[in-house]
Amino acid sequence: MIEQLLSEKTKEALNSLYGASVETVSFEKTNPDFTGDLTLVVFNFLKISKKKPEDTANEIGNYLKANVSEIADFNVVKGFLNLVISDSYWLNYFNSVKNKDFSSTKLPENAPVVMVEYSSPNTNKPLHLGHVRNNLLGFSVAEILKAAGNKVVKTNIVNDRGIHICKSMLAWQKWGNGETPESSGIKGDHLVGKYYVEFDKHYKLEATDLKAKGMSEEEAEKNAPLVLQTKEMLLKWEKGDKAVRSLWEMMNGWVYKGFDVSYKMMGVDFDKTYYESNTYLLGKNIIDDGLAKGILKRREDNSVFIDLTADGLDEKTLLRSDGTSLYMTQDLGTALQRFEEVHFEKLIFTVANEQDYHFKVLSLILNKLGYSWAKGLHHLSYGMVELPEGKMKSREGTVVDADDLMSEMIKTAEATTKELGKVDNLTEEEAQHLYKTIGLGALKYFLLKVDPKKKMLFNPAESIDFNGNTAPFIMFNYVRVQAMLRKATDAGIHFDSSETMEITSVLPKEKELIIKVHSFETIIQQAAKEFSPALIANYTYDLAKEYSQYYHDTSILKEENNEKKIFRLQLSNMVGNVIKASTKLLGIEVPERM
RNA sequence: GAUCCCAUAGCUCAGCUGGAUAGAGCAACGGUUUUCUAAACCGUAGGCCUUUGGUUCGAAUCCAAAUGGGAUCACCA
């Protein structure tokens, strides 16, 4: 990396010129309005040099030019030292990576293990837009971490038990008339979700009824017959009641079949799937351990808690007075279980920001209990997706359904593609695949290009764009490259040999493209560090945009100089390779034609 | 009441480990096609970077407060 070399040499310069040693020296990309590639801001060194900014910059510049062969020239504007890196440096770099497969990563044996948990669906309803953001984020972060040199284990924990699951079960029992996915033709998860909404409808009626009879709102909500029956059902489930268990298994089975279809459509997968019904009792041994260490305390009524008031938080109960465990207890237990299973360096939880508090407490407790691995826990917190009318609520049916949204996107892609008349040479199968690639790509990019932690507004009335900063634009540029390369191959031009072209100078745009590709590695590392697919998305867009301008202004196949022509083809090929690799990190596939 | 997150063009967002004149896309207006895919390219217009104070040679960026928006603070998950 050129930055590293320059940083070292600058330290050397400061030492030799002013006899001072500086810890870190960093460069930034030169502002496009000035000449140069990298810029050193010298204001920080004035104390050392005891000279004017211009003089300091000039002295450092002279030293670097004399001692670093990669520096072709420099100029000084006020306190800014702009360095021009020689074309030959960039060309050497270009030649070393022009045929590289940017998407392959070879992991060292001892690569750190990172577990990424995402999705975590409930089995009482189908996936909605919020889940889509979660799934895409989790999957993409996993891909990015892989590319950054980690061994990644993708995990899903299915919340398959609990009072909310019993709600749809009870409603189906009461009003389902034996309806099944087969008999109704409704996708399993949607069918179950239908009864979840049904439950809420009846429950609200009951509560209103009780209120009319003089109960307070709170009483009415607690004493609605449906609520009591659900609690009873949960107790039966916990005791292993045969009828309840088999109903549970049947309905969950429908849901899993449905989820599989949605996951496959989204293009996400998991290495491990956990079920809450198997893990909800975990964590009690941690409690015993904490009590023994005196970090957890037992109340008079036998419940167990931890006092976090000294850390600015509250008292957190970890065991009910009847000895049963809670959400937090369970999460403590599963974290420990996972560490014992895979010895992760990091454990990433992809969960919406409404649970920031929960994860803060979780990490704090584990740290207090002295588990050294707990510092590897990270909550990948993302903002909620909101609709113009506010938060989505599954119970009330005000959600953007994941399956509906995806098929809507594919339909839009189909309509647009046909309108542009781009399907003439495709078989029906190829065309269908193309619509899916474009539609889902547009959706994925739309959700991933925004900083994860920001909440996002989705207006279903305004369909997702296909122009500008979008996946179809990026794909379009990839496709243009492929079309051109096919044409070149047909004409018998060999651009993919490792042969080095005798190019001595490059166009400014060509240099920019090489520099852009050069920074791909750094961007991956940064995205991995910040768990941010948005960085990859924006990088890819910038690259595609620059290529688009280059393509527009420069003739490639029509270039008469053969060396230049081949160089340009190689450059295009390289840009295509990077686009393919970086979109892959977002879970986006690129088509070969469109 | 307490804590956490957010605030940049009409809209959606970049930029935030302090640096030069704050960038894209959409929408608006105008232009480019006998030339490698026009889902493209070029141009015009659009900004008290929410406000105030502080730190600094230098602040959209760091600190504090205020305002507005969101979330959380169960022996629910």
PDB file of all heavy atoms in Angstrom, chain A residues 460-476:
ATOM      1  N   PRO A 460     -44.571   2.767   0.136  1.00  0.00           N
ATOM      2  CA  PRO A 460     -44.952   1.758  -0.859  1.00  0.00           C
ATOM      3  C   PRO A 460     -45.541   2.379  -2.123  1.00  0.00           C
ATOM      4  O   PRO A 460     -45.482   1.780  -3.191  1.00  0.00           O
ATOM      5  CB  PRO A 460     -46.022   0.930  -0.138  1.00  0.00           C
ATOM      6  CG  PRO A 460     -45.896   1.269   1.305  1.00  0.00           C
ATOM      7  CD  PRO A 460     -45.349   2.651   1.385  1.00  0.00           C
ATOM      8  N   ALA A 461     -46.070   3.595  -1.975  1.00  0.00           N
ATOM      9  CA  ALA A 461     -46.669   4.239  -3.144  1.00  0.00           C
ATOM     10  C   ALA A 461     -45.599   4.670  -4.141  1.00  0.00           C
ATOM     11  O   ALA A 461     -45.822   4.685  -5.345  1.00  0.00           O
ATOM     12  CB  ALA A 461     -47.491   5.447  -2.703  1.00  0.00           C
ATOM     13  N   GLU A 462     -44.415   5.026  -3.633  1.00  0.00           N
ATOM     14  CA  GLU A 462     -43.329   5.392  -4.532  1.00  0.00           C
ATOM     15  C   GLU A 462     -42.465   4.163  -4.728  1.00  0.00           C
ATOM     16  O   GLU A 462     -41.767   3.750  -3.825  1.00  0.00           O
ATOM     17  CB  GLU A 462     -42.479   6.498  -3.904  1.00  0.00           C
ATOM     18  CG  GLU A 462     -43.216   7.801  -3.718  1.00  0.00           C
ATOM     19  CD  GLU A 462     -42.438   8.764  -2.836  1.00  0.00           C
ATOM     20  OE1 GLU A 462     -41.218   8.564  -2.656  1.00  0.00           O
ATOM     21  OE2 GLU A 462     -43.073   9.688  -2.313  1.00  0.00           O
ATOM     22  N   SER A 463     -42.507   3.611  -5.906  1.00  0.00           N
ATOM     23  CA  SER A 463     -41.759   2.383  -6.098  1.00  0.00           C
ATOM     24  C   SER A 463     -40.262   2.694  -6.096  1.00  0.00           C
ATOM     25  O   SER A 463     -39.844   3.816  -6.343  1.00  0.00           O
ATOM     26  CB  SER A 463     -42.153   1.719  -7.407  1.00  0.00           C
ATOM     27  OG  SER A 463     -41.897   2.598  -8.469  1.00  0.00           O
ATOM     28  N   ILE A 464     -39.496   1.675  -5.806  1.00  0.00           N
ATOM     29  CA  ILE A 464     -38.053   1.824  -5.728  1.00  0.00           C
ATOM     30  C   ILE A 464     -37.478   2.145  -7.104  1.00  0.00           C
ATOM     31  O   ILE A 464     -37.830   1.532  -8.101  1.00  0.00           O
ATOM     32  CB  ILE A 464     -37.446   0.541  -5.140  1.00  0.00           C
ATOM     33  CG1 ILE A 464     -37.871   0.424  -3.672  1.00  0.00           C
ATOM     34  CG2 ILE A 464     -35.935   0.560  -5.256  1.00  0.00           C
ATOM     35  CD1 ILE A 464     -37.510  -0.883  -3.035  1.00  0.00           C
ATOM     36  N   ASP A 465     -36.612   3.125  -7.119  1.00  0.00           N
ATOM     37  CA  ASP A 465     -36.060   3.636  -8.367  1.00  0.00           C
ATOM     38  C   ASP A 465     -35.168   2.650  -9.109  1.00  0.00           C
ATOM     39  O   ASP A 465     -34.541   1.797  -8.512  1.00  0.00           O
ATOM     40  CB  ASP A 465     -35.211   4.868  -8.033  1.00  0.00           C
ATOM     41  CG  ASP A 465     -35.684   6.066  -8.820  1.00  0.00           C
ATOM     42  OD1 ASP A 465     -35.894   5.892 -10.034  1.00  0.00           O
ATOM     43  OD2 ASP A 465     -35.855   7.142  -8.218  1.00  0.00           O
ATOM     44  N   PHE A 466     -35.109   2.794 -10.412  1.00  0.00           N
ATOM     45  CA  PHE A 466     -34.206   1.971 -11.222  1.00  0.00           C
ATOM     46  C   PHE A 466     -33.132   2.829 -11.884  1.00  0.00           C
ATOM     47  O   PHE A 466     -32.293   2.342 -12.603  1.00  0.00           O
ATOM     48  CB  PHE A 466     -35.005   1.221 -12.308  1.00  0.00           C
ATOM     49  CG  PHE A 466     -35.678  -0.027 -11.805  1.00  0.00           C
ATOM     50  CD1 PHE A 466     -36.256  -0.062 -10.548  1.00  0.00           C
ATOM     51  CD2 PHE A 466     -35.725  -1.161 -12.583  1.00  0.00           C
ATOM     52  CE1 PHE A 466     -36.875  -1.205 -10.078  1.00  0.00           C
ATOM     53  CE2 PHE A 466     -36.343  -2.319 -12.126  1.00  0.00           C
ATOM     54  CZ  PHE A 466     -36.923  -2.345 -10.881  1.00  0.00           C
ATOM     55  N   ASN A 467     -33.193   4.147 -11.657  1.00  0.00           N
ATOM     56  CA  ASN A 467     -32.206   5.045 -12.258  1.00  0.00           C
ATOM     57  C   ASN A 467     -31.387   5.722 -11.178  1.00  0.00           C
ATOM     58  O   ASN A 467     -31.852   5.890 -10.064  1.00  0.00           O
ATOM     59  CB  ASN A 467     -32.907   6.131 -13.083  1.00  0.00           C
ATOM     60  CG  ASN A 467     -33.727   5.542 -14.200  1.00  0.00           C
ATOM     61  OD1 ASN A 467     -33.280   4.639 -14.893  1.00  0.00           O
ATOM     62  ND2 ASN A 467     -34.939   6.024 -14.350  1.00  0.00           N
ATOM     63  N   GLY A 468     -30.188   6.158 -11.554  1.00  0.00           N
ATOM     64  CA  GLY A 468     -29.375   6.889 -10.593  1.00  0.00           C
ATOM     65  C   GLY A 468     -28.628   5.959  -9.658  1.00  0.00           C
ATOM     66  O   GLY A 468     -28.102   4.932 -10.106  1.00  0.00           O
ATOM     67  N   ASN A 469     -28.577   6.323  -8.386  1.00  0.00           N
ATOM     68  CA  ASN A 469     -27.835   5.531  -7.408  1.00  0.00           C
ATOM     69  C   ASN A 469     -28.613   4.279  -7.029  1.00  0.00           C
ATOM     70  O   ASN A 469     -29.210   4.196  -5.966  1.00  0.00           O
ATOM     71  CB  ASN A 469     -27.550   6.406  -6.182  1.00  0.00           C
ATOM     72  CG  ASN A 469     -26.644   5.719  -5.185  1.00  0.00           C
ATOM     73  OD1 ASN A 469     -26.304   4.539  -5.346  1.00  0.00           O
ATOM     74  ND2 ASN A 469     -26.247   6.437  -4.154  1.00  0.00           N
ATOM     75  N   THR A 470     -28.603   3.307  -7.927  1.00  0.00           N
ATOM     76  CA  THR A 470     -29.397   2.089  -7.746  1.00  0.00           C
ATOM     77  C   THR A 470     -28.622   0.876  -8.270  1.00  0.00           C
ATOM     78  O   THR A 470     -27.636   1.023  -8.996  1.00  0.00           O
ATOM     79  CB  THR A 470     -30.698   2.151  -8.572  1.00  0.00           C
ATOM     80  OG1 THR A 470     -30.340   2.178  -9.959  1.00  0.00           O
ATOM     81  CG2 THR A 470     -31.514   3.395  -8.242  1.00  0.00           C
ATOM     82  N   ALA A 471     -29.115  -0.286  -7.896  1.00  0.00           N
ATOM     83  CA  ALA A 471     -28.487  -1.507  -8.389  1.00  0.00           C
ATOM     84  C   ALA A 471     -28.594  -1.645  -9.913  1.00  0.00           C
ATOM     85  O   ALA A 471     -27.619  -2.026 -10.552  1.00  0.00           O
ATOM     86  CB  ALA A 471     -29.072  -2.721  -7.688  1.00  0.00           C
ATOM     87  N   PRO A 472     -29.740  -1.365 -10.523  1.00  0.00           N
ATOM     88  CA  PRO A 472     -29.800  -1.505 -11.978  1.00  0.00           C
ATOM     89  C   PRO A 472     -28.747  -0.653 -12.708  1.00  0.00           C
ATOM     90  O   PRO A 472     -28.188  -1.088 -13.715  1.00  0.00           O
ATOM     91  CB  PRO A 472     -31.225  -1.046 -12.322  1.00  0.00           C
ATOM     92  CG  PRO A 472     -32.013  -1.410 -11.118  1.00  0.00           C
ATOM     93  CD  PRO A 472     -31.090  -1.156  -9.954  1.00  0.00           C
ATOM     94  N   PHE A 473     -28.455   0.517 -12.193  1.00  0.00           N
ATOM     95  CA  PHE A 473     -27.398   1.340 -12.808  1.00  0.00           C
ATOM     96  C   PHE A 473     -26.052   0.634 -12.727  1.00  0.00           C
ATOM     97  O   PHE A 473     -25.294   0.589 -13.693  1.00  0.00           O
ATOM     98  CB  PHE A 473     -27.323   2.704 -12.106  1.00  0.00           C
ATOM     99  CG  PHE A 473     -26.136   3.531 -12.528  1.00  0.00           C
ATOM    100  CD1 PHE A 473     -26.164   4.254 -13.714  1.00  0.00           C
ATOM    101  CD2 PHE A 473     -24.983   3.564 -11.749  1.00  0.00           C
ATOM    102  CE1 PHE A 473     -25.066   5.008 -14.113  1.00  0.00           C
ATOM    103  CE2 PHE A 473     -23.881   4.315 -12.144  1.00  0.00           C
ATOM    104  CZ  PHE A 473     -23.913   5.031 -13.324  1.00  0.00           C
ATOM    105  N   ILE A 474     -25.764   0.075 -11.552  1.00  0.00           N
ATOM    106  CA  ILE A 474     -24.501  -0.632 -11.364  1.00  0.00           C
ATOM    107  C   ILE A 474     -24.441  -1.848 -12.283  1.00  0.00           C
ATOM    108  O   ILE A 474     -23.443  -2.089 -12.960  1.00  0.00           O
ATOM    109  CB  ILE A 474     -24.349  -1.042  -9.887  1.00  0.00           C
ATOM    110  CG1 ILE A 474     -24.156   0.210  -9.034  1.00  0.00           C
ATOM    111  CG2 ILE A 474     -23.179  -2.011  -9.703  1.00  0.00           C
ATOM    112  CD1 ILE A 474     -24.336  -0.008  -7.552  1.00  0.00           C
ATOM    113  N   MET A 475     -25.557  -2.576 -12.331  1.00  0.00           N
ATOM    114  CA  MET A 475     -25.626  -3.763 -13.192  1.00  0.00           C
ATOM    115  C   MET A 475     -25.421  -3.384 -14.650  1.00  0.00           C
ATOM    116  O   MET A 475     -24.723  -4.068 -15.394  1.00  0.00           O
ATOM    117  CB  MET A 475     -26.997  -4.433 -13.053  1.00  0.00           C
ATOM    118  CG  MET A 475     -27.252  -5.066 -11.716  1.00  0.00           C
ATOM    119  SD  MET A 475     -28.970  -5.626 -11.653  1.00  0.00           S
ATOM    120  CE  MET A 475     -28.996  -6.290  -9.986  1.00  0.00           C
ATOM    121  N   PHE A 476     -26.057  -2.298 -15.025  1.00  0.00           N
ATOM    122  CA  PHE A 476     -25.991  -1.835 -16.416  1.00  0.00           C
ATOM    123  C   PHE A 476     -24.542  -1.637 -16.856  1.00  0.00           C
ATOM    124  O   PHE A 476     -24.158  -2.007 -17.954  1.00  0.00           O
ATOM    125  CB  PHE A 476     -26.786  -0.533 -16.536  1.00  0.00           C
ATOM    126  CG  PHE A 476     -26.731   0.093 -17.893  1.00  0.00           C
ATOM    127  CD1 PHE A 476     -27.345  -0.504 -18.978  1.00  0.00           C
ATOM    128  CD2 PHE A 476     -26.069   1.295 -18.080  1.00  0.00           C
ATOM    129  CE1 PHE A 476     -27.302   0.076 -20.230  1.00  0.00           C
ATOM    130  CE2 PHE A 476     -26.014   1.883 -19.334  1.00  0.00           C
ATOM    131  CZ  PHE A 476     -26.632   1.274 -20.412  1.00  0.00           C
TER     132      PHE A 476
END
